[in-house]
Amino acid sequence: MDIRHLQYFLETARLRSFTRAAESLYLSQPAISKAIRQLEEELGVTLFDRIGKKIELTDAGRVVMEQAQAITQSFSNLSAQLGDLEELKRGHLRIGLPPMVGSSFFPKVIGAFHDRYPDVTMQVFEDGAKKVESDVAEGLLDIGVVVLPLTFDVFGSFQFAEERLNLIVPASHPLAGAASAKLGELAHENFVFFREDFTLHDRIINECLQAGFHPRIVYESSQWDLISEMVAAGLGVALLPETICRQASGKAVTIVPLEEPAIWWRLGVIWHKERYQSYAAREWISFTREWLGGTPIKDDEGR
């Protein structure tokens, strides 16, 4: 069994597309299809249901995926440990970043890290924080940046940012000149939200429910700049972190501090504490902690 075939299979299962997997792996689609067909023949099972252009894992495919993740992770650990024994300051990192976090905090960090470790390559995956956290837990990513608090207890982590959410409204909105706004005042507003795979999606809904109403969501997006533009067009209001608000401010929108309640946006870097960390991953954690001024995340008992 070729370890590369398992890697191709896992990437195809993750993206649910032969075409997108080929693009991600810089291979041709026929090469991906041939490798998976060979894997199916070797195992004597069908791994994917092919329905038109869509594919879904079969029951056998799900079993193989679980074992393939363990096999490829073990192989990755073996390669990393051998590289460490040879004291090679190179490697490859898979990093998950929510879109608005990546553009706001990490371009300079990634550039500075590359200057120090030019032989370490990085592959950045942009997904909502919930998906990033899940992928780090499953070993699909080495490092992730997420919105705290954490869902799982398998992570090492540090916090590097803490900001409030502010209200962003069209410049013509009645609240545009207000010194602050209360969440309860927004019960009859239309909202522009981040998609449901973003932690802020659920966080804001829960806060609204505690304030006595369910937000009327008219649009959802994964891009903060598009959310800002939709607010500017008068399609609704939005709640965005302070860093994003500073970038979104202009004549077409107004930023209003949100009070009662204050909704916090806390960011952390996470990694799987029970998996082997390569030299490159350990250096990235140390480097970013120093660069961003990160502090360890304590539990509710202060440990």
Side-chain angles (χ1 to χ4, degrees), residues 107-132:
K108 291 183 178 179
V109 179
I110 292 173
F113 185 83
H114 177 72
D115 289 341
R116 182 177 293 186
Y117 302 102
D119 293 327
V120 175
T121 59
M122 283 180 278
Q123 192 173 9
V124 177
F125 297 88
E126 286 193 305
D127 276 306
K130 290 193 288 186
K131 180 67 163 56
V132 170

Side-chain angles (χ1 to χ4, degrees), residues 183 200-213 215:
L183 190 59
L200 284 181
H201 181 280
D202 294 346
R203 178 83 53 82
I204 295 172
I205 288 179
N206 289 335
E207 293 288 349
C208 290
L209 291 175
Q210 291 185 34
F213 71 97

Side-chain angles (χ1 to χ4, degrees), residues 139-197:
L140 301 177
L141 294 172
D142 303 306
I143 307 291
V145 175
V146 300
V147 178
L148 304 173
L150 299 169
T151 304
F152 305 100
D153 61 359
V154 297
F155 301 119
S157 55
F158 66 84
Q159 180 178 312
F160 66 88
E162 181 177 70
E163 300 181 357
R164 289 189 180 206
L165 298 191
N166 285 334
L167 174 66
I168 177 173
V169 299
S172 58
H173 194 279
L175 287 172
S180 64
K182 297 178 181 179
L183 190 59
E185 296 179 77
L186 309 178
H188 301 294
E189 298 285 350
N190 292 329
F191 278 84
V192 184
F193 259 49
F194 284 102
R195 291 187 328 227
E196 62 182 10
D197 57 331

Side-chain angles (χ1 to χ4, degrees), residues 13-224:
R14 186 180 76 85
L15 296 173
R16 295 184 179 183
S17 168
F18 289 98
T19 301
R20 293 174 62 192
E23 292 173 352
S24 174
L25 295 166
Y26 301 101
L27 296 170
S28 67
Q29 182 175 335
I32 295 290
S33 299
K34 180 180 179 182
I36 292 177
R37 185 167 59 254
Q38 290 175 345
L39 188 60
E40 289 178 323
E41 292 173 354
E42 185 173 356
L43 296 174
V45 296
T46 299
L47 299 174
F48 293 104
D49 278 332
R50 297 162 175 84
I51 308 171
K53 294 183 178 180
K54 296 182 178 180
I55 61 171
E56 295 287 344
L57 282 169
T58 62
D59 290 341
R62 283 188 284 271
V63 172
V64 173
M65 183 175 71
E66 181 178 348
Q67 296 301 318
Q69 288 173 341
I71 292 169
T72 55
Q73 184 62 50
S74 295
F75 182 80
S76 177
N77 289 348
L78 172 63
S79 299
Q81 290 184 57
L82 290 175
D84 283 356
L85 287 175
E86 297 174 6
E87 297 181 354
L88 297 176
K89 293 187 178 182
R90 67 187 183 201
H92 180 72
L93 292 175
R94 301 164 300 170
I95 302 172
L97 295 176
M100 65 176 172
V101 173
S103 62
S104 301
F105 292 94
F106 279 88
K108 291 183 178 179
V109 179
I110 292 173
F113 185 83
H114 177 72
D115 289 341
R116 182 177 293 186
Y117 302 102
D119 293 327
V120 175
T121 59
M122 283 180 278
Q123 192 173 9
V124 177
F125 297 88
E126 286 193 305
D127 276 306
K130 290 193 288 186
K131 180 67 163 56
V132 170
E133 185 176 346
S134 175
D135 284 351
V136 174
E138 294 178 11
L140 301 177
L141 294 172
D142 303 306
I143 307 291
V145 175
V146 300
V147 178
L148 304 173
L150 299 169
T151 304
F152 305 100
D153 61 359
V154 297
F155 301 119
S157 55
F158 66 84
Q159 180 178 312
F160 66 88
E162 181 177 70
E163 300 181 357
R164 289 189 180 206
L165 298 191
N166 285 334
L167 174 66
I168 177 173
V169 299
S172 58
H173 194 279
L175 287 172
S180 64
K182 297 178 181 179
L183 190 59
E185 296 179 77
L186 309 178
H188 301 294
E189 298 285 350
N190 292 329
F191 278 84
V192 184
F193 259 49
F194 284 102
R195 291 187 328 227
E196 62 182 10
D197 57 331
F198 284 68
T199 303
L200 284 181
H201 181 280
D202 294 346
R203 178 83 53 82
I204 295 172
I205 288 179
N206 289 335
E207 293 288 349
C208 290
L209 291 175
Q210 291 185 34
F213 71 97
H214 193 288
R216 185 166 60 243
I217 303 171
V218 293
Y219 292 98
E220 293 183 355
S221 174
S222 64
Q223 303 297 325
W224 69 262

